[in-house]
Amino acid sequence: MRDAAVDQVTLFGFKESIYTQVVMMALAAKGVAFDLKRDNPFEGEASGPHPFARVPVLQHGDFAIYETAAITRYVDRAFEGLSLLPGGAAALARMDQVIAIADNYAYWPMVRQAYAHGVVRKQAGINWDKDLVNEGLRAAEPVLKVLDEMAHEGEVLNGLRISLADCQLAPMVAAFAALPKGRKMLKRHWALSCWLDWISHSRAFRQAIGEA
Ligand SMILES: N[C@@H](CCC(=O)N[C@@H](CS)C(=O)NCC(=O)O)C(=O)O
């Protein structure tokens, strides 16, 4: 096992990046110290080690890994401390399912459409597209519904113990909730709202992302 005390941990990414925040949350939950090396693929030429010009990439000693879900699994296995895996086959399967839903159905509408256009670009005065915001809000509805059911079921997203599912999802849902219409939609999903409230007060979230 690599030892954080011996091998340097460097995260290539930027703190506003949602996927970088996912890894920062996992690192914070495990209590792993790291250096954040700023790499923002949206700022012109790609400068970092990612072969597809994305972030994040984690470097631990001479080992480098990209793809967020693989990184967080590595962080959980490679470092001592609290396990970020829930107990039991059903809960582990639900965790994997939440991570896949976050990547495949939540990230694009909730982050890249609703949040990026309705909050980031709008506040920065960069041309934002209202149609994309509305498209994102519409596409987010069925995603919120299934996640709410899972939070209600309680195998993961249960407000009891942090898992890799919490780390993957929290930055995405928190970003979506930064949009007033997103927050309003979220409030109609009671279990998921309670979960966001819990996770956004967790030490890992506050350390990685700050106040939601
Ligand atoms: N599948 C990748 C996705 C990472 C990703 O899309 N990161 C965003 C920042 S949050 C990015 O680098 N975007 C650059 C781009 O889309 O050109 C992962 O899981 O790490």
Side-chain angles (χ1 to χ4, degrees):
M1 182 177 285
R2 287 162 196 274
D3 182 352
V6 175
D7 289 321
Q8 173 73 31
V9 180
T10 304
L11 181 62
F12 294 85
F14 59 106
K15 66 179 174 37
E16 300 85 359
S17 142
I18 299 300
Y19 274 117
T20 304
Q21 291 174 359
V22 170
V23 176
M24 291 197 295
M25 256 187 93
L27 289 165
K30 295 294 281 192
V32 177
F34 64 96
D35 284 330
L36 180 65
K37 193 157 190 271
R38 190 171 168 88
D39 177 14
N40 182 347
F42 294 106
E43 285 174 352
E45 294 287 299
S47 57
H50 200 297
F52 306 113
R54 301 279 171 101
V55 291
V57 176
L58 187 88
Q59 179 90 40
H60 183 206
D62 57 8
F63 178 73
I65 182 157
Y66 59 88
E67 284 306 296
T68 301
I71 299 173
T72 57
R73 278 188 171 81
Y74 173 76
V75 166
D76 187 48
R77 290 173 185 142
F79 299 96
E80 305 287 346
L82 176 84
S83 166
L84 298 178
L85 303 180
L92 281 165
R94 208 54 104 205
M95 180 193 84
D96 289 340
Q97 190 183 15
V98 167
I99 291 171
I101 291 170
D103 285 345
N104 295 310
Y105 310 114
Y107 176 71
W108 195 264
M110 291 170 74
V111 176
R112 294 293 289 269
Q113 292 184 312
Y115 172 68
H117 283 268
V119 177
V120 180
R121 283 170 171 265
K122 193 175 175 187
Q123 283 176 1
I126 304 168
N127 57 339
W128 64 285
D129 188 333
K130 199 174 176 182
D131 290 342
L132 284 183
V133 176
N134 288 330
E135 202 176 302
L137 288 167
R138 262 196 312 277
E141 184 59 49
V143 183
L144 294 177
K145 181 174 179 290
V146 297
L147 292 171
D148 187 50
E149 286 164 5
M150 289 173 194
H152 183 74
E153 174 195 57
E155 292 284 2
V156 290
L157 312 181
N158 52 26
L160 294 172
R161 208 184 116 180
I162 189 166
S163 77
L164 296 179
D166 297 271
C167 297
Q168 193 84 11
L169 193 63
M172 297 184 193
V173 179
F176 183 72
L179 184 71
K181 280 186 182 166
R183 179 162 285 274
K184 216 168 142 192
M185 274 173 67
L186 187 65
K187 286 226 165 87
R188 291 199 293 270
H189 299 84
W190 182 81
L192 194 64
S193 280
C194 291
W195 164 78
L196 182 65
D197 193 45
W198 172 76
I199 196 70
S200 58
H201 287 89
S202 70
R203 189 183 49 80
F205 185 98
R206 283 185 289 113
Q207 222 169 295
I209 301 165
E211 296 306 320

